[in-house]
Amino acid sequence: MQRDGHSAARVRTIPLIAPSVGALLVWMIVPLAMTLWFSFRRYNLLNPMLTGFAGINNYRFLLRDPALPSILVITVVLVLAVMVLTISLGVVLAAIFNTGFPGQGIARVLMISPFFVMPTVSALIWKNLLMHPVNGLFAGVLRSLGFPVIDWFSSFPLISIIIIVTWEWLPFAFLILLTALQSLDEEQLEAARLDGAGTIAVFFFIQVPHMARAISVLVMMETIFLLSIFAEIYVTTAGGPGIATTNLPFLIYQRALLAFNIGGASAAGVIAIILANVLAALLIRTVARRLDV
Amino acid sequence: MSGVKTWLAGGVAWLIAIVNFFPIFWMLLASLKTEVEAVQTPPLFIFHPTLANYRDIFALQGYAGYAFNSIAISVLATLLMLLVAVPAAFAMAFYPGRYTRDILLWMLSTKMLPAVGVLVPIYLLSRDLGLLDTRTALVIIDFLSNLPIGVWMLFTFFRETPKDIIEASRIDGANVGQTILYVLLPLVAPGIASTALLSVILCWNEAFWSLNLTAHNAAPLTAFIASFSAPQGLFWARLSAASVLAIAPILAFGWISQRQLVRGLTFGAVK
């Protein structure tokens, strides 16, 4: 204890830490303050005459937009659906992969690969090569089996996006859960088996609780990343048909960079930030209560 | 686990792994087809492979320029991140103070700000500073968005290094600089390398800012690939070739660094 205090006194750590803290402070506070400020301003890039304080008009306009409720629902559904799918599939897959079968290493590499594919490439593989209603692989397979062809992005736009994003994020959940599972004490498993626990009992009462910490980390990370899903929508459906796949990021992009309505886009940005934090707080609390035994 | 169960689990796992990897494999096949074969119905599994698409994307599409942007942005953002994160992680791991924990948690909390929430100000700042469609803008943004992950990951690596070794070298008369250079660095080099690798992967695949802040000059591969989405059904084979080249190096990096990646992406909570 004394030795630590001695070292700390001899080495001044503030100059080492300050650049990181400073950079992150600026990175967090300046844009956040600007978003807040613009959200109360009248500001449109196409109309320089339009200036001044807007009060809560940007928010009022946004909240009265008949499309907003469905956009919020789409945003949350996208996050939750992908999260539930990736984590539940990931838990099961991690348990299967933990058995140490022949060729486990290679199978695992195949399993995690989609995570390293850049989002625009993933989206285009699915859009063109797989889900295309005329030339896609799925259409070809369905046709040769005599089934009607599905036009994925017009018939099931949101489901299609969910499939693509799940494919991208399942490896992430899988890899983290598998790593967590591999740290499970072998003796504990052995003891449970000696007490007569079968594979299913071991899975539910030992393996799943052991993954609790990893699951809550996943919930937090996925909330943040999935709330910003943009490239997949940009490349495949451009938010359509209608607003069927418009989530908050896409709405903000449309308002800000296509309609140049800075005030309105900023108000939507503030809502996205609030949503991210509320959702993450709620989800993490739920997960923590359920799983941290 | 009994033999039958292991084989059964193995069979299921292999099946899922193959299905899961199939889209990437299918793209690889498409990149070796002619444009006509790529859109052929029913889908073609057996064909005479050609490398023409790979030649074409360099000759016709200016692939090299976009690849250069991706490399430059990823490498510079990563170096910048390490330059700032290594000292901070070092200080917090070896000389923890009363506020170390708070600082680390606060850094983590900066990731709670979704990118889209600050799109407007970042876009306007870039425009006003003349940084729209420049590599500089993306380097700065990638550096800052990976900084918390970098500090955390390095911190967890540094914390595992025995502290006594520093005391010992100090007693032997080495100063702080010598201690870091000759004693500490060789020990923590693998941790720094994995952190760098993770940062490169994240920068390389970053799409949100690339799509919104670049046009032609600074567009990295993520944005270049997106430009293929416009003409419906055209150039699938060429697109696939461009995509295969764009993801190949990162796939390899990812395979190498699976384990360290988990540590970085979970802020040290899972390792």
Side-chain angles (χ1 to χ4, degrees):
Chain A
M1 201 52 221
Q2 212 172 18
R3 206 178 56 174
D4 271 342
H6 189 60
S7 313
R10 276 201 300 179
V11 177
R12 277 175 298 137
T13 56
I14 291 173
L16 299 177
I17 302 175
S20 286
V21 172
L24 281 174
L25 206 59
V26 171
W27 170 237
M28 192 162 92
I29 291 193
V30 171
L32 191 61
M34 282 175 78
T35 298
L36 266 174
W37 169 248
F38 289 143
S39 75
F40 293 106
R41 302 286 299 178
R42 288 192 287 175
Y43 189 177
N44 191 310
L45 293 178
L46 291 182
N47 186 353
M49 305 299 283
L50 195 70
T51 55
F53 196 57
I56 58 164
N57 276 340
N58 288 325
Y59 290 94
R60 192 183 290 158
F61 190 71
L62 184 69
L63 294 175
R64 279 190 188 158
D65 187 336
L68 186 74
S70 54
I71 288 172
L72 288 177
V73 168
I74 289 164
T75 309
V76 174
V77 165
L78 188 55
V79 173
L80 289 182
V82 174
M83 193 183 296
V84 168
L85 283 171
T86 54
I87 295 180
S88 52
L89 289 174
V91 165
V92 175
L93 281 171
I96 295 177
F97 271 73
N98 197 36
T99 54
F101 53 85
Q104 199 242 30
I106 300 169
R108 187 166 80 174
V109 161
L110 295 183
M111 217 33 239
I112 61 167
S113 294
F115 185 63
F116 304 112
V117 177
M118 50 179 66
T120 45
V121 168
S122 305
L124 282 178
I125 294 180
W126 285 86
K127 182 194 182 190
N128 288 346
L129 300 178
L130 299 176
M131 287 175 161
H132 193 279
V134 181
N135 309 103
L137 179 68
F138 293 171
V141 171
L142 285 176
R143 208 181 286 122
S144 65
L145 293 176
F147 289 108
V149 163
I150 301 170
D151 187 354
W152 289 89
F153 290 106
S154 24
S155 308
F156 308 105
L158 190 57
I159 291 177
S160 305
I161 301 281
I162 290 173
I163 292 174
I164 298 174
V165 179
T166 302
W167 181 73
E168 290 176 307
W169 285 89
L170 176 59
F172 176 71
F174 163 75
L175 184 60
I176 284 169
L177 292 166
L178 180 62
T179 310
L181 204 52
Q182 282 168 343
S183 69
L184 183 58
D185 194 7
E186 196 57 42
E187 281 174 26
Q188 203 185 339
L189 285 176
E190 217 42 60
R193 289 208 191 92
L194 285 178
D195 287 345
T199 310
I200 304 288
V202 165
F203 175 71
F204 278 109
F205 296 113
I206 297 180
Q207 293 184 319
V208 172
H210 182 76
M211 287 187 268
R213 187 177 157 89
I215 291 174
S216 44
V217 174
L218 275 175
V219 166
M220 188 184 80
M221 297 305 287
E222 288 197 21
T223 312
I224 300 306
F225 283 113
L226 298 176
L227 267 175
S228 292
I229 289 292
F230 175 76
E232 293 81 354
I233 296 172
Y234 175 91
V235 169
T236 57
T237 62
I243 55 159
T245 53
T246 302
N247 63 353
L248 263 181
F250 207 78
L251 174 81
I252 294 171
Y253 157 76
Q254 284 175 326
R255 290 276 154 87
L257 302 191
L258 299 183
F260 299 107
N261 179 354
I262 297 302
S266 299
V270 172
I271 290 183
I273 294 168
I274 294 172
L275 188 68
N277 286 279
V278 169
L279 210 57
L282 277 179
L283 287 171
I284 287 169
R285 188 168 297 175
T286 317
V287 169
R289 197 171 46 224
R290 288 273 162 77
L291 287 167
D292 266 338
V293 187
Chain B
M1 193 169 284
S2 68
V4 180
K5 271 187 187 165
T6 309
W7 280 100
L8 189 68
V12 172
W14 265 101
L15 187 71
I16 296 173
I18 289 170
V19 169
N20 186 61
F21 188 77
F22 181 78
I24 299 173
F25 175 70
W26 188 239
M27 176 178 72
L28 181 66
L29 284 191
S31 76
L32 301 170
K33 296 175 181 175
T34 63
E35 293 294 349
V36 177
E37 288 167 340
V39 295
Q40 195 160 318
T41 51
L44 212 56
F45 277 89
I46 294 160
F47 57 94
H48 190 74
T50 168
L51 286 175
N53 300 307
Y54 289 91
R55 203 177 49 228
D56 288 351
I57 54 167
F58 278 97
L60 307 172
Q61 238 91 22
Y63 181 87
Y66 301 102
F68 173 78
N69 286 341
S70 273
I71 295 170
I73 291 165
S74 306
V75 170
L76 286 177
T78 297
L79 288 179
L80 200 56
M81 185 275 284
L82 289 178
L83 194 69
V84 175
V86 168
F90 164 78
M92 288 193 279
F94 288 97
Y95 305 100
R98 204 190 308 169
Y99 301 109
T100 301
R101 203 184 129 78
D102 294 333
I103 293 173
L104 280 167
L105 287 177
W106 171 75
M107 285 186 173
L108 184 109
S109 77
T110 62
K111 287 303 276 180
M112 298 298 283
L113 191 65
V116 67
V118 292
L119 170 63
V120 172
I122 299 294
Y123 178 82
L124 292 176
L125 281 174
S126 310
R127 187 198 60 172
D128 295 344
L129 298 171
L131 292 175
L132 272 188
D133 199 18
T134 63
R135 286 180 288 269
T136 312
L138 285 184
V139 167
I140 295 172
I141 289 171
D142 284 351
F143 149 61
L144 288 167
S145 33
N146 292 333
L147 184 58
I149 295 180
V151 172
W152 265 86
M153 195 165 167
L154 291 165
F155 172 77
T156 63
F157 278 115
F158 289 173
R159 203 175 36 183
E160 286 164 12
T161 313
K163 275 187 190 179
D164 298 341
I165 204 158
I166 294 195
E167 281 306 315
S169 69
R170 297 293 293 278
I171 290 164
D172 285 348
N175 63 32
V176 181
Q178 287 168 327
T179 308
I180 291 176
L181 200 60
Y182 297 116
V183 180
L184 198 59
L185 212 53
L187 278 175
V188 296
I192 295 179
S194 341
T195 309
L197 215 51
L198 174 63
S199 166
V200 168
I201 292 173
L202 292 174
C203 295
W204 189 273
N205 287 346
E206 197 289 312
F208 181 76
W209 296 110
S210 310
L211 288 173
N212 281 311
L213 297 182
T214 66
H216 182 73
N217 290 330
L221 288 168
T222 39
F224 167 63
I225 300 287
S227 68
F228 275 92
S229 68
Q232 279 274 354
L234 284 176
F235 306 126
W236 284 12
R238 209 178 284 166
L239 159 67
S240 299
S243 302
V244 168
L245 288 184
I247 66 169
I250 291 310
L251 265 182
F253 283 179
W255 292 342
I256 303 167
S257 62
Q258 296 178 37
R259 217 158 240 295
Q260 287 76 14
L261 216 98
V262 171
R263 185 197 289 246
L265 290 171
T266 60
F267 293 90
V270 179
K271 49 185 171 190

